[in-house]
Amino acid sequence: DTAVSQTPKYLVTQMGNDKSIKCEQNLGHDTMYWYKQDSKKFLKIMFSYNNKELIINETVPNRFSPKSPDKAHLNLHINSLELGDSAVYFCASSQGGLAGGGNEQFFGPGTRLTVL
Amino acid sequence: AQRVTQPEKLLSVFKGAPVELKCNYSYSGSPELFWYVQYSRQRLQLLLRHISRESIKGFTADLNKGETSFHLKKPFAQEEDSAMYYCALKTSYDKVIFGPGTSLSVIP
């Protein structure tokens, strides 16, 4: 029944490794997002995909690459992990982007990434 | 510049007291504003949006374009209101900008 799910919930890894976080939504939404929440709880958008097409690409290092195999999935791949990448990463989805009507975003439970 | 500010990082109130979480925004277009809440160990979820003009869990928020504010209010705080609250601004480019968040603690 989970609307937006992410795996894994926790990820601990060494600097320099490559890792992926998966996100799936079963709401039939056509837009998905990735957010980063830092240690001060500040939440910042990283990417937005609409129907598998990249819509928003904020200023994030190109070590971060989103991949959307279909509109129900938006995975986040991170290369050459750095200490500063440690954060909680949230996936979210909404219907029709957020245009007109102020559609709500539904968030996943988050993935806590710790880079050692 | 598009920006959302929440001046209080931490806010503590006693149970039954009124609570106001401040939010100000900076945006040249027509703003659409939201409040999201994150309870302990739960995911972020929408609390309310200004276009709905609704009251959710006793909370209300009015958009004041003159003061560029969207403060969240509740007349009588409850312990279960303790959470992290984010004010968010949706831009015309479908981008959502979140404020830094205010951690509300309701003291029994």
Side-chain angles (χ1 to χ4, degrees):
Chain A
D1 289 338
T2 304
V4 183
S5 58
Q6 293 177 229
T7 53
K9 195 169 180 180
Y10 299 95
L11 184 55
V12 181
T13 187
Q14 300 281 343
M15 262 195 332
N17 284 348
D18 303 339
K19 290 293 178 187
S20 292
I21 307 172
K22 294 185 177 179
C23 178
E24 178 181 1
Q25 54 95 3
N26 62 7
L27 296 166
H29 290 166
D30 57 11
T31 305
M32 297 183 72
Y33 311 80
W34 275 108
Y35 288 86
K36 180 180 179 180
Q37 186 182 46
D38 62 23
S39 58
K40 295 180 181 177
K41 300 288 189 181
F42 191 74
L43 199 63
K44 187 172 180 184
I45 192 166
M46 299 173 70
F47 302 102
S48 164
Y49 266 72
N50 179 270
N51 275 320
K52 303 196 299 174
E53 183 182 345
L54 182 64
I55 303 297
I56 295 170
N57 184 356
E58 286 298 289
T59 308
V60 300
N62 57 15
R63 299 180 294 104
F64 289 79
S65 54
K67 286 185 171 49
S68 183
D70 55 61
K71 73 175 195 178
H73 295 84
L74 182 62
N75 304 324
L76 184 65
H77 189 76
I78 316 169
N79 289 328
S80 303
L81 278 155
E82 300 178 358
L83 293 175
D85 297 334
S86 294
V88 180
Y89 292 84
F90 287 98
C91 177
S93 74
S94 69
Q95 181 54 35
L98 293 170
N103 288 336
E104 170 182 0
Q105 288 188 315
F106 291 81
F107 282 81
T111 295
R112 183 175 292 278
L113 171 65
T114 303
V115 182
L116 303 174
Chain B
Q2 302 154 0
R3 195 175 168 191
V4 177
T5 57
Q6 293 176 248
E8 301 131 334
K9 192 169 181 179
L10 298 167
L11 182 62
S12 294
V13 300
F14 284 101
K15 178 182 172 181
V19 61
E20 181 180 48
L21 290 86
K22 291 184 168 56
C23 170
N24 287 88
Y25 66 91
S26 172
Y27 182 55
S28 56
S30 184
E32 290 191 47
L33 287 142
F34 306 77
W35 276 99
Y36 280 82
V37 60
Q38 188 176 24
Y39 299 103
S40 179
R41 295 196 179 91
Q42 292 187 30
R43 64 188 69 197
L44 199 65
Q45 56 188 292
L46 179 69
L47 180 61
L48 54 80
R49 67 196 90 179
H50 92 268
I51 60 167
S52 301
R53 301 186 67 82
E54 57 202 344
S55 173
I56 302 292
K57 299 184 179 183
F59 284 97
T60 58
D62 290 318
L63 177 61
N64 186 322
K65 290 186 179 181
E67 295 181 0
T68 59
S69 68
F70 188 56
H71 303 327
L72 184 68
K73 300 177 184 179
K74 184 170 181 176
F76 308 104
Q78 303 299 315
E79 289 179 65
E80 55 266 28
D81 296 330
S82 295
M84 191 77 179
Y85 291 82
Y86 291 93
C87 182
L89 164 72
K90 192 206 89 173
T91 72
S92 56
Y93 296 101
D94 269 4
K95 181 172 146 182
V96 175
I97 300 166
F98 282 83
T102 297
S103 177
L104 174 65
S105 176
V106 180
I107 305 162

